Each structure stands twice: as structure tokens, then as C-alpha cells.
Amino acid sequence: MKRRLYEDEHEAFRESFRKFLAVEVVPHHEEWERAGIVPRELFATAGKAGFLGMEIPEAFGGGGVRDFRFNAVIAEEVMRCGVAAAGLGLSLHNDICLPYFMAYCTDEQKRRWLPGIASGELITAIAMTEPGIGSDLASMSTTAIRDGDHYVVNGAKTFITNGINSDLVITAVKTDPTQRHKGMSLLVIERGMPGFERGRNLDKLGQHAQDTAELSFTDVRVPVANLLGPGEGEGFTQLVTNLPQERLSIAIAAVAAAQTALAQTLAYVKERKAFGQPIGSFQNSRFVLAEIATEVDIAQHYIDDCVRALNAGELTAVDASKAKWWCTELQGRVLDRCLQLHGGYGYMTEYPIAKAYADARITRIYGGTTEIMKEVIGRSLGL
């Protein structure tokens, strides 16, 4: 069934971004995988080319276009080029962090931060997870205690994407440690603030070019002017409001990764021979790939409907949770089955399928685990 999500302008954007990846990312990705980080210059180059902050108003250096289909194009092409780790930092910047700045910044904060976010000079991250609490954000222990015109921040965060490169870190803190959800606020903590330290760049199973770090805060004095939103205690509501877009972003990339694996495997089984014939000619291969093609197409159309709903302001937390858990679990199944069809070669990291397999495992965890997604959906059923 033909996709009807995109228009000519999106396909032109896709072609431009595909060329950008071919020149600026693909030739360097192996080096960045070994280094465990992409150079900061990647963000500046992407910003100059118009691939950051597409919805930021033109007055602040952005594209001035609020249309998540452009974000979806970026996620799809990153996966098709096999550069998931490098692309994750860009998607986090555009899809996950930017909405907080767009929705909750004061005019003064917008003037301070949006031009740098659009240009790539200010790289963003969001710090929610803490050691030992997993998905239970209300149990966080990072505090921000008011002291005159500043908050004094103490605590630690872990598994932070863009953790090494980031300049602006949206940090979930407890401004009222006596409360759970109602005590949470969001503060923007900036590079260079005394007491703000970055720990090691974490050694992960996959996504090696993505800098994922531990952050620590020891008596960090953060101006009250860096509080996001109208006042203290709004943090949990702000997170809940923005999580559907984050989860849809992850789901879009998951389906694109599955489609890419299918295309690579189809090409492989047509060429690879066993017992004197292409392995794709065996009934088992045909059936496995037929199942994958069907599931991926069905998932794609659900995702496209979710993108339309997001653009219309109608995407619910429940629908986004359905998209996130189903599509990431599908990604895992597809990568596993496609790797199996590659035989022993599928286990060799020189083959794209092996890297994609390792990169895929985290998607069922970050942005809300599969189990948390099912909990959100189950509660919506009155259970």
C-alpha cells in the first residue's frame, strides 16, 4: 500500500538530508564509533544546512515550520544509511529537547538559547534518569533548593544522551523534596557552571558513536531565570506533555530500521547460495520475509497516522505508547530474524545487520520501557 504521508517538499528535504549524510556522516561513522562520540562540529554543520530547529521561528535562526514530517524524514534516512548512533544525537536535539524550549521558554530565554540551538552551537540534552530509580521519576533525589536568585542543585543523573557534548541540559529536579510528582521542576543547567561535572562516556552494547554519560551536580548555582515554565512544581506535567512526541520519534526510527534490515536481507538472500540455489528461494526464507514485510507495512501505516495526529495536536499518550512498544519490539524481532538469514556472516560486525542488531536493543528501554508502555495502555482500559 502506497504511503501518503509526504508531499514534494518533504521528499526534496529528504534528498538534501540524504546528501548531507553521504558527505558529512557516513564516511566518518566508523571513526566516531571507535571514538565513542561525534564531533561537536557535526551539529554546527547540520545547523548551517538547515537540519536543526526546523520549527524555531526564523527570527531566531530556525526554519519557522512546525511540521513533524521533516523530523520523520531525518529519522528514516539516518536508519537507512546505517548511522543510528550519530543520528540519535540530532534527533534528541530536534525531537525531544527542542519542544521544551519552544513550549516553556520565556521571551528572554528564547533570545538566549534558540539561536544557538538552531545553529548547532548550543547542543541540548535532557536529564531525567538517576542511578537506582529506573522509570520511577517521582523518586528522584536530585534537588534544587532556592537561595535568593539561584537554585543550588545537588545530585546525579545517568544514561544521558548527548551527555558529553551538551551545552544546555534540561534537568529534572526536586524543588520541593517533600513532594513526589508535585515537587518536580525543570531547570536548564549550562556547560561551565561550577560544580557541574560529566562522568565517563559509558561503554554500551550498541550505539557506540552516541555519547551517553553520567552527570553530577555539587552545589551548582543555577539562576532562577533558567527555570522552565511558569513556576516550580510543573516538571512532571511538562514531561508527560512532551513524552508522546519523544516516543513517536523512537517508533519512527524503529520502523525505518526494520525496513532497512528487510531490504538488506532481501538483497543478501538473492545472492547467497546454499545447496546450489539462492537461500531466498527456500520456503522458510520466503515465509519469514513475507511475515516481516507484512508486519513492517502495517506498523508503518500506524506510525504515519500518529505523525498526522501529532501535527494536528491530537496524538495521545496512549497512542504514542502503543506505537513505541510495538514498533521497537518489532524492530528487535525483525533484526533477529534477518540476522539469522545471514547465517554466520550476520554475526560479523563488518555486515550492517550485526551493528543494527546491537543498536536496536536499547530502543525497548529508553524513552519508556515496553513494560511501562503497556502499563500506560492498561490503565487507559480502566484496569
Side-chain angles (χ1 to χ4, degrees):
M1 189 181 297
K2 183 179 179 180
R3 293 181 73 186
R4 293 178 173 83
L5 180 64
Y6 297 115
E7 300 171 18
D8 289 346
E9 59 187 342
H10 303 105
E11 296 304 338
F13 182 83
R14 183 189 303 278
E15 185 61 29
S16 295
F17 187 66
R18 187 177 291 165
K19 291 177 180 177
F20 170 83
L21 291 176
V23 173
E24 303 292 346
V25 180
V26 173
H28 311 292
H29 200 253
E30 288 295 328
E31 176 188 345
W32 297 345
E33 288 270 283
R34 290 190 295 271
I37 192 170
V38 303
R40 289 178 52 85
E41 291 74 26
L42 174 64
F43 287 83
T45 306
K48 186 176 182 179
F51 301 127
L52 296 182
M54 289 82 72
E55 68 173 282
I56 292 175
E58 292 181 13
F60 296 115
V65 178
R66 189 177 178 85
D67 183 348
F68 199 73
R69 288 177 291 182
F70 291 106
N71 303 58
V73 165
I74 287 177
E76 290 173 355
E77 291 307 312
V78 160
M79 290 300 172
R80 285 168 188 158
C81 288
V83 291
L88 179 58
L90 299 177
S91 292
L92 180 99
H93 187 82
N94 281 331
D95 302 0
I96 297 170
C97 295
L98 180 58
Y100 291 91
F101 290 96
M102 293 295 295
Y104 305 119
C105 275
T106 64
D107 290 342
E108 185 276 332
Q109 289 171 334
K110 288 178 180 179
R111 288 193 296 271
R112 251 200 299 161
W113 293 326
L114 289 185
I117 293 172
S119 70
E121 295 172 284
L122 294 177
I123 299 170
T124 59
I126 184 164
M128 292 185 277
T129 303
E130 295 184 3
I133 70 166
S135 300
D136 185 12
L137 293 180
S139 296
M140 71 175 59
S141 58
T142 298
T143 58
I145 305 303
R146 181 80 179 256
D147 180 25
D149 292 334
H150 290 78
Y151 291 100
V152 180
V153 180
N154 285 280
K157 301 291 182 177
T158 194
F159 307 141
I160 308 306
T161 303
N162 285 352
I164 301 295
N165 275 333
S166 55
D167 302 286
L168 305 175
V169 182
I170 302 165
T171 309
V173 297
K174 283 289 186 73
T175 44
D176 184 353
T178 68
Q179 299 292 317
R180 281 176 55 81
H181 300 93
K182 293 181 179 179
M184 294 170 57
S185 302
L186 298 182
L187 275 182
V188 176
I189 300 180
E190 301 181 60
R191 175 183 291 277
M193 288 183 168
F196 172 24
E197 302 290 340
R198 301 164 204 263
R200 59 197 176 98
N201 190 359
L202 300 172
D203 187 14
K204 307 183 297 295
L205 172 66
Q207 303 277 4
H208 292 144
Q210 204 333 280
D211 56 311
T212 307
E214 300 167 323
L215 309 179
S216 66
F217 313 100
T218 306
D219 294 331
V220 183
R221 295 186 66 82
V222 182
V224 171
N226 282 25
L227 180 70
L228 284 181
E232 295 179 3
E234 299 293 328
F236 185 76
T237 300
Q238 292 166 330
L239 292 171
V240 169
T241 300
N242 284 278
L243 279 172
Q245 179 166 308
E246 174 178 350
R247 289 165 178 166
L248 177 58
S249 174
I250 295 168
I252 290 168
V255 175
Q259 288 176 329
T260 302
L262 173 61
Q264 291 169 344
T265 306
L266 281 170
Y268 181 82
V269 300
K270 290 175 183 177
E271 295 177 1
R272 178 72 174 169
K273 292 186 177 181
F275 305 104
Q277 64 188 92
I279 61 175
S281 65
F282 298 129
Q283 186 183 67
N284 178 70
S285 300
R286 291 200 306 272
F287 281 13
V288 167
L289 292 167
E291 291 169 7
I292 290 172
T294 302
E295 288 192 78
V296 168
D297 277 356
I298 291 170
Q300 185 67 78
H301 288 287
Y302 182 77
I303 288 300
D304 288 356
D305 273 350
C306 285
V307 172
R308 294 186 191 97
L310 179 66
N311 275 351
E314 299 171 355
L315 181 66
T316 68
V318 172
D319 287 342
S321 296
K322 291 176 181 177
K324 200 274 179 184
W325 89 258
W326 177 262
C327 293
T328 56
E329 293 286 343
L330 172 64
Q331 178 187 12
R333 290 197 306 275
V334 168
L335 266 295
D336 185 70
R337 300 182 84 184
C338 287
L339 190 151
Q340 185 73 14
L341 288 173
H342 280 73
Y345 291 103
Y347 202 64
M348 301 298 109
T349 56
E350 64 190 87
Y351 278 75
I353 196 73
K355 293 181 180 179
Y357 178 86
D359 287 345
R361 187 58 186 88
I362 187 59
T363 66
R364 287 171 267 173
I365 299 172
Y366 65 27
T369 64
T370 292
E371 293 74 21
I372 292 296
M373 297 303 93
K374 291 180 180 179
E375 183 69 17
V376 171
I377 299 161
R379 290 182 180 182
S380 77
L381 302 176
L383 301 174

